[in-house]
Amino acid sequence: MRRTVTRLLAMTALGLPLILPAAPATAAPTAPARHLADVIPAPVETRPDAHGTFQISPLTVIRTTPGSATAWQVGRQLAETLRPATGYPLPVLPVRSTPLPEIALLIGGADARVGQQGYQLDVTRRGVTIRANTPAGLFAGTQTLRQLLPADIESARRQRTTWAVPGGRIVDYPRFAYRGAMLDLARHFHTVDEITAYVDLLSQYKINYLHLHLTDDQGWRIQIDSWPRLTTVGGGPGTGVDGVGPGYLTKADYKAVVAYAAARHITIIPEIDMPGHTNAAQSTYPELNCDGVAPPPRTDMAVGYSSLCINDERTYRFVEDVIRELAAITPGPFLHIGGDEAHATTDEDYRTFMQRVLPLVAKYGKRAYGWNEIMQADPPTDAVAQFWGTGTTNTDLAEAVARGNKVIMSPANKAYLDMKYDRNTRLGLSWAAYIEVSDAYGWDPATRVSGVGENAVLGVEAPLWSETLRTLDDIEHMAFPRLPAIAELGWSTAASHDWESFRTRLGEQAPRWRLQQVDFYPSPQVPWR
Ligand code: TNX
């Protein structure tokens, strides 16, 4: 690699301007000057310097910490983001210094506050320097840099002739370590291309976990070798709401999603919902039913009618096979075991089931994660509860927090992306609430539920259930613009929470989304550009 670098440098010094693409035929579109704080999520600290504007030019290089393959990888991703619209070569050079104007991505040397996920970004006339302790922090910094450039940077074609980055310093790091999104593949299947397109959008807003709801009453969407009919039948033709299946992820597909997300510093969390929400498995394998009779497949939207057979050892052989195979292809720390709406399971059976299953998650090296109902089973204190209630009290949850369990906040009437914006929304449900952008933004994860304070909250997650959603456009229309609201609640300080500021910054995202062809909902609450 060294040799390539030297050659590239020599080329750059000698004749690079000669090989630059011709200037675009059309005049550069005008765009307002960006400000350092015009970013979502809002950065912790910004110190603008009006004299420090940097212009990306044909000579700019992206320099990364020598010897760090991961920093170089972040540099390559940044180059790939910036090349189409600028038309500049932006070589990525893992070298100690260059005589050229540079965007430097450096491991180490940042403000001590940035921790494991944050970054420091400095812009002067001579260049941009992003410093972080980890590649994840560098990646977060490059997502900020992207938003500091004119919106045309998102264009797939060369657009304009000047690319200014506003001068000054940003020191930025998250309020919560966990900022998640969830996608439901069971009610309607979503392909690898759709999932990875969603990953691209999530990563721009510093989301670092994607939870995949892989199984439910309507469909089973992940290959399990020891129970092969789960996918060929349970994920086969006619599965999904309204019977529009088939669809499932092979293990190769799943690994491809994991790797794609990892390259964008997003960790995949798989969910197998149990002991309820299991009709797809039970209609495929009769032995998973207490009476040995497979119920018919279901393609309606009802919930709470299915239950695995709690006092049958075959159930636990099945569950252990699934957990073992899934853990083996999941590098992330969490395995989600569902546990919601088990209305067809008695309370006693529910506890019995969870006390058998929770140790299996640990046996295969994973940390158990489940909907808040799992706290009724007194799980070990490293188990994480996902709060999805609409109220502000939950005794089981508060007691679990007192024992030491941590919580992810997904209140259904605030954070559910499948809820309609208002009564006219074409897609989505409304059982929890209508959720306009101001509702999605207008709550605090650390004061939402009594007894669940800042230290008990690991973070936030925005679930997107797919009963009414089929296409990527459908997903985008429900997630945008509310997903960025949840992302800001997870990243930015409570002190910076400010609706007027947020809605203005949100409005400025619209030109980017248009260029990225994101089918967002143009909420009347937002001053769209
Ligand atoms: C409730 S939220 C469910 C899901 C539905 C969703 C629809 C939760 C843990 N369970 O089964 O898809 O509502 O909004």
PDB file of all heavy atoms in Angstrom, residues 184 187 213 216 273 277 303 340-341 371 373 388 412 416 418-419 429 431 465-467, ligand 1:
ATOM      1  N   ASP A 184     -39.543  -4.741  11.103  1.00  0.00           N
ATOM      2  CA  ASP A 184     -40.334  -5.979  11.185  1.00  0.00           C
ATOM      3  C   ASP A 184     -40.308  -6.671   9.821  1.00  0.00           C
ATOM      4  O   ASP A 184     -40.877  -6.170   8.851  1.00  0.00           O
ATOM      5  CB  ASP A 184     -41.761  -5.589  11.610  1.00  0.00           C
ATOM      6  CG  ASP A 184     -42.760  -6.731  11.562  1.00  0.00           C
ATOM      7  OD1 ASP A 184     -42.354  -7.895  11.390  1.00  0.00           O
ATOM      8  OD2 ASP A 184     -43.964  -6.437  11.717  1.00  0.00           O
ATOM      9  N   ARG A 187     -44.189  -9.496   9.260  1.00  0.00           N
ATOM     10  CA  ARG A 187     -45.541  -9.188   8.761  1.00  0.00           C
ATOM     11  C   ARG A 187     -45.506  -8.961   7.251  1.00  0.00           C
ATOM     12  O   ARG A 187     -46.402  -9.368   6.529  1.00  0.00           O
ATOM     13  CB  ARG A 187     -46.095  -7.968   9.486  1.00  0.00           C
ATOM     14  CG  ARG A 187     -46.797  -8.295  10.790  1.00  0.00           C
ATOM     15  CD  ARG A 187     -45.944  -9.104  11.769  1.00  0.00           C
ATOM     16  NE  ARG A 187     -46.640  -9.335  13.019  1.00  0.00           N
ATOM     17  CZ  ARG A 187     -46.616  -8.489  14.060  1.00  0.00           C
ATOM     18  NH1 ARG A 187     -45.868  -7.391  14.012  1.00  0.00           N
ATOM     19  NH2 ARG A 187     -47.291  -8.760  15.144  1.00  0.00           N
ATOM     20  N   HIS A 213     -36.878  -7.813  13.608  1.00  0.00           N
ATOM     21  CA  HIS A 213     -37.959  -8.662  14.141  1.00  0.00           C
ATOM     22  C   HIS A 213     -38.181  -9.760  13.091  1.00  0.00           C
ATOM     23  O   HIS A 213     -38.839  -9.547  12.081  1.00  0.00           O
ATOM     24  CB  HIS A 213     -39.198  -7.795  14.352  1.00  0.00           C
ATOM     25  CG  HIS A 213     -40.352  -8.503  14.972  1.00  0.00           C
ATOM     26  ND1 HIS A 213     -40.410  -8.816  16.312  1.00  0.00           N
ATOM     27  CD2 HIS A 213     -41.526  -8.958  14.435  1.00  0.00           C
ATOM     28  CE1 HIS A 213     -41.562  -9.423  16.579  1.00  0.00           C
ATOM     29  NE2 HIS A 213     -42.249  -9.528  15.454  1.00  0.00           N
ATOM     30  N   ASP A 216     -42.793 -14.047  13.533  1.00  0.00           N
ATOM     31  CA  ASP A 216     -44.055 -13.672  14.189  1.00  0.00           C
ATOM     32  C   ASP A 216     -45.125 -14.658  13.750  1.00  0.00           C
ATOM     33  O   ASP A 216     -44.814 -15.684  13.125  1.00  0.00           O
ATOM     34  CB  ASP A 216     -44.432 -12.213  13.863  1.00  0.00           C
ATOM     35  CG  ASP A 216     -45.165 -11.554  15.023  1.00  0.00           C
ATOM     36  OD1 ASP A 216     -46.256 -12.026  15.378  1.00  0.00           O
ATOM     37  OD2 ASP A 216     -44.647 -10.565  15.584  1.00  0.00           O
ATOM     38  N   ASP A 273     -39.364 -13.939  18.400  1.00  0.00           N
ATOM     39  CA  ASP A 273     -40.407 -13.607  19.374  1.00  0.00           C
ATOM     40  C   ASP A 273     -40.994 -14.900  19.952  1.00  0.00           C
ATOM     41  O   ASP A 273     -41.374 -15.807  19.206  1.00  0.00           O
ATOM     42  CB  ASP A 273     -41.493 -12.766  18.688  1.00  0.00           C
ATOM     43  CG  ASP A 273     -42.267 -11.895  19.676  1.00  0.00           C
ATOM     44  OD1 ASP A 273     -42.150 -12.125  20.907  1.00  0.00           O
ATOM     45  OD2 ASP A 273     -42.992 -10.994  19.217  1.00  0.00           O
ATOM     46  N   HIS A 277     -46.639 -14.974  19.601  1.00  0.00           N
ATOM     47  CA  HIS A 277     -46.231 -14.522  18.254  1.00  0.00           C
ATOM     48  C   HIS A 277     -45.486 -15.635  17.512  1.00  0.00           C
ATOM     49  O   HIS A 277     -44.492 -15.380  16.832  1.00  0.00           O
ATOM     50  CB  HIS A 277     -45.352 -13.265  18.349  1.00  0.00           C
ATOM     51  CG  HIS A 277     -46.103 -12.027  18.757  1.00  0.00           C
ATOM     52  ND1 HIS A 277     -46.806 -11.251  17.869  1.00  0.00           N
ATOM     53  CD2 HIS A 277     -46.277 -11.446  19.965  1.00  0.00           C
ATOM     54  CE1 HIS A 277     -47.371 -10.219  18.509  1.00  0.00           C
ATOM     55  NE2 HIS A 277     -47.073 -10.333  19.795  1.00  0.00           N
ATOM     56  N   VAL A 303     -53.245 -10.218  17.323  1.00  0.00           N
ATOM     57  CA  VAL A 303     -52.090 -10.574  18.154  1.00  0.00           C
ATOM     58  C   VAL A 303     -52.567 -11.312  19.400  1.00  0.00           C
ATOM     59  O   VAL A 303     -53.737 -11.219  19.775  1.00  0.00           O
ATOM     60  CB  VAL A 303     -51.273  -9.330  18.599  1.00  0.00           C
ATOM     61  CG1 VAL A 303     -50.648  -8.625  17.416  1.00  0.00           C
ATOM     62  CG2 VAL A 303     -52.144  -8.367  19.411  1.00  0.00           C
ATOM     63  N   ASP A 340     -43.375 -10.353  24.216  1.00  0.00           N
ATOM     64  CA  ASP A 340     -44.515  -9.434  24.309  1.00  0.00           C
ATOM     65  C   ASP A 340     -45.841 -10.160  24.065  1.00  0.00           C
ATOM     66  O   ASP A 340     -45.873 -11.202  23.403  1.00  0.00           O
ATOM     67  CB  ASP A 340     -44.375  -8.306  23.285  1.00  0.00           C
ATOM     68  CG  ASP A 340     -44.303  -8.837  21.857  1.00  0.00           C
ATOM     69  OD1 ASP A 340     -43.541  -9.805  21.635  1.00  0.00           O
ATOM     70  OD2 ASP A 340     -45.004  -8.307  20.974  1.00  0.00           O
ATOM     71  N   GLU A 341     -46.885  -9.576  24.575  1.00  0.00           N
ATOM     72  CA  GLU A 341     -48.263  -9.965  24.261  1.00  0.00           C
ATOM     73  C   GLU A 341     -48.492 -11.474  24.283  1.00  0.00           C
ATOM     74  O   GLU A 341     -49.165 -12.017  23.409  1.00  0.00           O
ATOM     75  CB  GLU A 341     -48.656  -9.428  22.878  1.00  0.00           C
ATOM     76  CG  GLU A 341     -48.629  -7.918  22.811  1.00  0.00           C
ATOM     77  CD  GLU A 341     -48.906  -7.386  21.405  1.00  0.00           C
ATOM     78  OE1 GLU A 341     -48.372  -7.942  20.425  1.00  0.00           O
ATOM     79  OE2 GLU A 341     -49.639  -6.404  21.301  1.00  0.00           O
ATOM     80  N   TRP A 371     -38.918  -7.564  25.153  1.00  0.00           N
ATOM     81  CA  TRP A 371     -39.938  -6.552  25.428  1.00  0.00           C
ATOM     82  C   TRP A 371     -40.168  -6.497  26.928  1.00  0.00           C
ATOM     83  O   TRP A 371     -39.872  -7.459  27.644  1.00  0.00           O
ATOM     84  CB  TRP A 371     -41.216  -6.875  24.648  1.00  0.00           C
ATOM     85  CG  TRP A 371     -40.959  -6.876  23.166  1.00  0.00           C
ATOM     86  CD1 TRP A 371     -40.834  -7.969  22.364  1.00  0.00           C
ATOM     87  CD2 TRP A 371     -40.739  -5.740  22.320  1.00  0.00           C
ATOM     88  NE1 TRP A 371     -40.560  -7.590  21.067  1.00  0.00           N
ATOM     89  CE2 TRP A 371     -40.502  -6.229  21.017  1.00  0.00           C
ATOM     90  CE3 TRP A 371     -40.715  -4.363  22.529  1.00  0.00           C
ATOM     91  CZ2 TRP A 371     -40.246  -5.377  19.932  1.00  0.00           C
ATOM     92  CZ3 TRP A 371     -40.468  -3.520  21.445  1.00  0.00           C
ATOM     93  CH2 TRP A 371     -40.238  -4.020  20.168  1.00  0.00           C
ATOM     94  N   GLU A 373     -42.233  -7.020  29.087  1.00  0.00           N
ATOM     95  CA  GLU A 373     -42.884  -8.110  29.822  1.00  0.00           C
ATOM     96  C   GLU A 373     -41.885  -9.106  30.408  1.00  0.00           C
ATOM     97  O   GLU A 373     -42.189  -9.758  31.416  1.00  0.00           O
ATOM     98  CB  GLU A 373     -43.867  -8.867  28.913  1.00  0.00           C
ATOM     99  CG  GLU A 373     -45.137  -8.092  28.581  1.00  0.00           C
ATOM    100  CD  GLU A 373     -45.069  -7.377  27.242  1.00  0.00           C
ATOM    101  OE1 GLU A 373     -43.993  -6.817  26.916  1.00  0.00           O
ATOM    102  OE2 GLU A 373     -46.077  -7.359  26.521  1.00  0.00           O
ATOM    103  N   TRP A 388     -42.208  -0.592  25.795  1.00  0.00           N
ATOM    104  CA  TRP A 388     -43.034  -0.204  24.645  1.00  0.00           C
ATOM    105  C   TRP A 388     -44.408   0.312  25.076  1.00  0.00           C
ATOM    106  O   TRP A 388     -45.291   0.520  24.241  1.00  0.00           O
ATOM    107  CB  TRP A 388     -43.148  -1.354  23.653  1.00  0.00           C
ATOM    108  CG  TRP A 388     -43.867  -2.579  24.132  1.00  0.00           C
ATOM    109  CD1 TRP A 388     -43.355  -3.563  24.931  1.00  0.00           C
ATOM    110  CD2 TRP A 388     -45.217  -2.977  23.840  1.00  0.00           C
ATOM    111  NE1 TRP A 388     -44.291  -4.545  25.150  1.00  0.00           N
ATOM    112  CE2 TRP A 388     -45.454  -4.209  24.489  1.00  0.00           C
ATOM    113  CE3 TRP A 388     -46.252  -2.415  23.082  1.00  0.00           C
ATOM    114  CZ2 TRP A 388     -46.672  -4.885  24.424  1.00  0.00           C
ATOM    115  CZ3 TRP A 388     -47.468  -3.094  23.016  1.00  0.00           C
ATOM    116  CH2 TRP A 388     -47.672  -4.311  23.683  1.00  0.00           C
ATOM    117  N   ALA A 412     -44.629   3.397  22.790  1.00  0.00           N
ATOM    118  CA  ALA A 412     -45.346   3.218  21.519  1.00  0.00           C
ATOM    119  C   ALA A 412     -46.024   4.495  21.039  1.00  0.00           C
ATOM    120  O   ALA A 412     -46.203   4.691  19.836  1.00  0.00           O
ATOM    121  CB  ALA A 412     -46.364   2.092  21.660  1.00  0.00           C
ATOM    122  N   TYR A 416     -42.896   4.808  18.141  1.00  0.00           N
ATOM    123  CA  TYR A 416     -43.299   3.816  17.135  1.00  0.00           C
ATOM    124  C   TYR A 416     -43.461   4.486  15.772  1.00  0.00           C
ATOM    125  O   TYR A 416     -44.352   5.308  15.559  1.00  0.00           O
ATOM    126  CB  TYR A 416     -44.612   3.131  17.548  1.00  0.00           C
ATOM    127  CG  TYR A 416     -44.399   1.865  18.339  1.00  0.00           C
ATOM    128  CD1 TYR A 416     -43.302   1.738  19.187  1.00  0.00           C
ATOM    129  CD2 TYR A 416     -45.279   0.795  18.244  1.00  0.00           C
ATOM    130  CE1 TYR A 416     -43.096   0.573  19.911  1.00  0.00           C
ATOM    131  CE2 TYR A 416     -45.077  -0.372  18.966  1.00  0.00           C
ATOM    132  CZ  TYR A 416     -43.986  -0.477  19.794  1.00  0.00           C
ATOM    133  OH  TYR A 416     -43.785  -1.624  20.504  1.00  0.00           O
ATOM    134  N   ASP A 418     -44.481   3.100  13.141  1.00  0.00           N
ATOM    135  CA  ASP A 418     -45.612   2.598  12.352  1.00  0.00           C
ATOM    136  C   ASP A 418     -46.930   3.277  12.727  1.00  0.00           C
ATOM    137  O   ASP A 418     -47.967   2.993  12.105  1.00  0.00           O
ATOM    138  CB  ASP A 418     -45.759   1.077  12.478  1.00  0.00           C
ATOM    139  CG  ASP A 418     -46.137   0.640  13.886  1.00  0.00           C
ATOM    140  OD1 ASP A 418     -45.495   1.123  14.839  1.00  0.00           O
ATOM    141  OD2 ASP A 418     -47.060  -0.175  14.034  1.00  0.00           O
ATOM    142  N   MET A 419     -46.911   4.163  13.716  1.00  0.00           N
ATOM    143  CA  MET A 419     -48.134   4.906  14.029  1.00  0.00           C
ATOM    144  C   MET A 419     -48.338   6.010  12.981  1.00  0.00           C
ATOM    145  O   MET A 419     -47.372   6.643  12.545  1.00  0.00           O
ATOM    146  CB  MET A 419     -48.034   5.539  15.428  1.00  0.00           C
ATOM    147  CG  MET A 419     -48.061   4.526  16.550  1.00  0.00           C
ATOM    148  SD  MET A 419     -49.609   3.584  16.606  1.00  0.00           S
ATOM    149  CE  MET A 419     -48.978   1.912  16.447  1.00  0.00           C
ATOM    150  N   LEU A 429     -50.708   2.245  11.598  1.00  0.00           N
ATOM    151  CA  LEU A 429     -51.769   1.926  12.552  1.00  0.00           C
ATOM    152  C   LEU A 429     -51.950   3.131  13.475  1.00  0.00           C
ATOM    153  O   LEU A 429     -51.209   4.113  13.381  1.00  0.00           O
ATOM    154  CB  LEU A 429     -51.376   0.680  13.357  1.00  0.00           C
ATOM    155  CG  LEU A 429     -50.983  -0.566  12.535  1.00  0.00           C
ATOM    156  CD1 LEU A 429     -50.492  -1.674  13.455  1.00  0.00           C
ATOM    157  CD2 LEU A 429     -52.148  -1.047  11.689  1.00  0.00           C
ATOM    158  N   TRP A 431     -53.268   2.460  17.040  1.00  0.00           N
ATOM    159  CA  TRP A 431     -53.729   1.993  18.352  1.00  0.00           C
ATOM    160  C   TRP A 431     -53.034   2.718  19.507  1.00  0.00           C
ATOM    161  O   TRP A 431     -53.637   2.903  20.564  1.00  0.00           O
ATOM    162  CB  TRP A 431     -53.548   0.473  18.493  1.00  0.00           C
ATOM    163  CG  TRP A 431     -52.116   0.001  18.479  1.00  0.00           C
ATOM    164  CD1 TRP A 431     -51.435  -0.475  17.400  1.00  0.00           C
ATOM    165  CD2 TRP A 431     -51.209  -0.042  19.584  1.00  0.00           C
ATOM    166  NE1 TRP A 431     -50.136  -0.794  17.755  1.00  0.00           N
ATOM    167  CE2 TRP A 431     -49.977  -0.543  19.091  1.00  0.00           C
ATOM    168  CE3 TRP A 431     -51.295   0.309  20.938  1.00  0.00           C
ATOM    169  CZ2 TRP A 431     -48.844  -0.704  19.904  1.00  0.00           C
ATOM    170  CZ3 TRP A 431     -50.167   0.144  21.743  1.00  0.00           C
ATOM    171  CH2 TRP A 431     -48.964  -0.360  21.219  1.00  0.00           C
ATOM    172  N   TRP A 465     -43.074  -1.452  12.696  1.00  0.00           N
ATOM    173  CA  TRP A 465     -43.824  -2.687  12.445  1.00  0.00           C
ATOM    174  C   TRP A 465     -44.399  -2.631  11.042  1.00  0.00           C
ATOM    175  O   TRP A 465     -44.800  -1.562  10.573  1.00  0.00           O
ATOM    176  CB  TRP A 465     -44.928  -2.854  13.493  1.00  0.00           C
ATOM    177  CG  TRP A 465     -44.397  -2.899  14.894  1.00  0.00           C
ATOM    178  CD1 TRP A 465     -44.318  -1.872  15.781  1.00  0.00           C
ATOM    179  CD2 TRP A 465     -43.845  -4.035  15.565  1.00  0.00           C
ATOM    180  NE1 TRP A 465     -43.753  -2.300  16.959  1.00  0.00           N
ATOM    181  CE2 TRP A 465     -43.460  -3.628  16.854  1.00  0.00           C
ATOM    182  CE3 TRP A 465     -43.635  -5.379  15.194  1.00  0.00           C
ATOM    183  CZ2 TRP A 465     -42.872  -4.503  17.779  1.00  0.00           C
ATOM    184  CZ3 TRP A 465     -43.066  -6.243  16.120  1.00  0.00           C
ATOM    185  CH2 TRP A 465     -42.696  -5.805  17.393  1.00  0.00           C
ATOM    186  N   SER A 466     -44.476  -3.793  10.384  1.00  0.00           N
ATOM    187  CA  SER A 466     -44.737  -3.801   8.940  1.00  0.00           C
ATOM    188  C   SER A 466     -46.106  -4.310   8.512  1.00  0.00           C
ATOM    189  O   SER A 466     -46.266  -4.681   7.354  1.00  0.00           O
ATOM    190  CB  SER A 466     -43.669  -4.659   8.240  1.00  0.00           C
ATOM    191  OG  SER A 466     -42.422  -4.035   8.302  1.00  0.00           O
ATOM    192  N   GLU A 467     -47.083  -4.329   9.417  1.00  0.00           N
ATOM    193  CA  GLU A 467     -48.397  -4.832   9.006  1.00  0.00           C
ATOM    194  C   GLU A 467     -48.893  -4.146   7.733  1.00  0.00           C
ATOM    195  O   GLU A 467     -49.493  -4.781   6.863  1.00  0.00           O
ATOM    196  CB  GLU A 467     -49.439  -4.604  10.111  1.00  0.00           C
ATOM    197  CG  GLU A 467     -49.358  -5.571  11.275  1.00  0.00           C
ATOM    198  CD  GLU A 467     -48.505  -5.030  12.414  1.00  0.00           C
ATOM    199  OE1 GLU A 467     -47.639  -4.175  12.156  1.00  0.00           O
ATOM    200  OE2 GLU A 467     -48.711  -5.470  13.561  1.00  0.00           O
TER     201      GLU A 467
HETATM  202  C1  TNX B   1     -47.741  -4.328  19.181  1.00  0.00           C
HETATM  203  S1  TNX B   1     -45.264  -3.592  20.347  1.00  0.00           S
HETATM  204  C2  TNX B   1     -46.839  -5.368  18.973  1.00  0.00           C
HETATM  205  C3  TNX B   1     -46.610  -5.841  17.610  1.00  0.00           C
HETATM  206  C4  TNX B   1     -47.425  -5.098  16.608  1.00  0.00           C
HETATM  207  C5  TNX B   1     -47.434  -3.639  16.946  1.00  0.00           C
HETATM  208  C6  TNX B   1     -48.129  -2.785  15.930  1.00  0.00           C
HETATM  209  C7  TNX B   1     -45.142  -5.057  20.566  1.00  0.00           C
HETATM  210  C8  TNX B   1     -44.085  -5.459  21.429  1.00  0.00           C
HETATM  211  N1  TNX B   1     -46.022  -5.860  19.944  1.00  0.00           N
HETATM  212  O1  TNX B   1     -46.874  -7.224  17.563  1.00  0.00           O
HETATM  213  O2  TNX B   1     -46.862  -5.293  15.361  1.00  0.00           O
HETATM  214  O3  TNX B   1     -48.079  -3.488  18.185  1.00  0.00           O
HETATM  215  O4  TNX B   1     -48.006  -1.432  16.224  1.00  0.00           O
END
